[in-house]
Structure formats: C-alpha cells, structure tokens
Amino acid sequence: MKHFIYIVLTFLLISCADKTKETQQREELIQETANSNYNPEAKLDSLGIELRDQGVPIANYQHVVGAGNLLFLAGKGPKQANGEYMIGKLGDSLTVEQGYQAAREAGINQLSVLKAELGNLNKVKRIVSAHGMVNASPDFTDHSKVINGFSDLMVEVFGENGKHARAAVGMVSLPVGMAVEIEMVVEVYE
C-alpha cells in the first residue's frame, strides 16, 4: 500500500511540475510578444481608437464563447460611439466607402469585446477568420470592398497576426437595418 501511495504522490508531483512548466512557458511567450514589435494595445492608442462598452446581449446569446485557445465572437454591427447604428443598404442608400466605414466600426466593436474578455489585446495570437455580412441590394457586387474596412483594421492593429480567412456575403436585410454585421474567430495565447 505504501508503494502505491508513493507512486501516486510521485505522479502528482510530476504532473504539477509539468503544469508549472507549461504555465511558465505560456507567460514567457506572452512576455516575449509584449517585448517585440507586436503590441496591439499601443497600436490602438497610436490610431486614436477608443474601445466601447458593449453592454449585455439583448437576446439569448453571449458576446464571446471560448473553446480551447479559440474565441468565437458573436456578430457585431456598426454601432457608433454615439450609440447609433450605421444603417442602410449597400448599392441603394449607402456607397462602398460608407460601407467600408461601417465595417470598420463593427471591427472596433469586436475589438471592444476582445478587450473586455481578455483584459489585454496583447493576448491575441492571431485573428483566425471573419464572416462579414453586408446589407445589400440584389445587384450589389462589391461585398469584399465593404468588409475590407474590418480586415484592414485587424491588420492595422495586429500586423501580420491580423490577416485572416474570411467570407463577405450579401444579405437581403440585417437587424435594425444595419449596414453590416461581422462575426469572428480569434486564437489566443493559452
């Protein structure tokens, strides 16, 4: 019996040491990233972007759900700092340039969710993917140019780590008539 207890205790000690080593390696990687040129927090400041409180969801969903080292962010629209959405239909009441700005606003809102979830955007390893939905007329074909507003912002903030896979698709309508809605997947340092 003593031999069995000794084996179990030895296993637990080794297991704890491995966890401590993993934790230390993770912290070193985060620190290394913070010491390199990769600093999304500083980049936001230099761009003059102020993040906004997203409040609680108004329906039955969460802003973000984690699975392993991935974060899945619910769709966000172009709610501006004044609380109003950029609304309208691309190819009808909005130009591509206005749509681009709407996608950028949606990106700022997603960054706000990330900051609230992580406490520090330097914990973002990379932007994995984005699904951009554009409120568009049937003959509108520049969806990609609109969603570039989001994608360009991610690269401005995260550099090469901001490049992502994406879809840019047209919708017949979006909630409250907003111009765009964008959801995203983000990989974070464990």
Side-chain angles (χ1 to χ4, degrees), residues 106-135:
I108 291 169
N109 293 327
Q110 289 292 31
L111 292 175
S112 299
V113 169
L114 273 176
K115 173 79 173 191
E117 179 71 15
L118 298 172
N120 186 321
L121 292 177
N122 292 348
K123 294 179 181 177
V124 172
K125 188 171 187 179
R126 76 169 298 118
I127 306 301
V128 176
S129 68
H131 181 198
M133 296 161 272
V134 179
N135 187 356

Side-chain angles (χ1 to χ4, degrees), residues 111 114 124-130 150 154 158 161-165 184-187:
L111 292 175
L114 273 176
V124 172
K125 188 171 187 179
R126 76 169 298 118
I127 306 301
V128 176
S129 68
F150 171 88
M154 295 302 118
F158 298 103
N161 299 11
K163 292 184 178 179
H164 52 274
M184 65 190 288
V185 178
V186 177
E187 182 181 12

Side-chain angles (χ1 to χ4, degrees):
M1 183 68 169
K2 286 183 182 179
H3 185 65
F4 176 74
I5 292 172
Y6 177 75
I7 291 172
V8 170
L9 287 175
T10 302
F11 175 76
L12 288 174
L13 287 173
I14 291 170
S15 179
C16 288
D18 286 345
K19 291 289 184 191
T20 303
K21 187 176 182 180
E22 288 175 16
T23 302
Q24 183 180 2
Q25 287 174 339
R26 187 177 322 119
E27 289 173 1
E28 287 173 2
L29 185 57
I30 290 170
Q31 187 61 39
E32 180 182 310
T33 300
N35 292 334
S36 71
N37 290 333
Y38 181 75
N39 191 340
E41 291 284 334
K43 192 62 178 176
L44 275 180
D45 288 341
S46 73
L47 293 170
I49 295 174
E50 292 184 26
L51 301 182
R52 311 163 187 149
D53 179 19
Q54 296 299 299
V56 296
I58 58 173
N60 191 15
Y61 71 94
Q62 295 181 314
H63 287 305
V64 60
V65 173
N69 64 337
L70 295 178
L71 298 177
F72 296 81
L73 280 70
K76 290 284 170 252
K79 190 174 188 179
Q80 302 169 94
N82 64 9
E84 294 180 12
Y85 282 97
M86 296 177 73
I87 60 171
K89 192 171 283 292
L90 277 293
D92 183 19
S93 60
L94 295 175
T95 65
V96 170
E97 292 77 20
Q98 290 169 316
Y100 180 98
Q101 288 304 316
R104 188 174 177 88
E105 288 291 330
I108 291 169
N109 293 327
Q110 289 292 31
L111 292 175
S112 299
V113 169
L114 273 176
K115 173 79 173 191
E117 179 71 15
L118 298 172
N120 186 321
L121 292 177
N122 292 348
K123 294 179 181 177
V124 172
K125 188 171 187 179
R126 76 169 298 118
I127 306 301
V128 176
S129 68
H131 181 198
M133 296 161 272
V134 179
N135 187 356
S137 62
D139 58 341
F140 186 75
T141 59
D142 285 329
H143 307 85
S144 292
K145 291 179 182 176
V146 169
I147 301 303
N148 280 345
F150 171 88
S151 296
D152 291 350
L153 176 64
M154 295 302 118
V155 173
E156 284 177 52
V157 173
F158 298 103
E160 288 295 310
N161 299 11
K163 292 184 178 179
H164 52 274
R166 80 167 196 207
V169 296
M171 301 289 171
V172 68
S173 68
L174 289 171
V176 301
M178 60 188 166
V180 300
E181 182 175 2
I182 302 173
E183 59 185 29
M184 65 190 288
V185 178
V186 177
E187 182 181 12
V188 296
Y189 291 104
E190 289 188 57

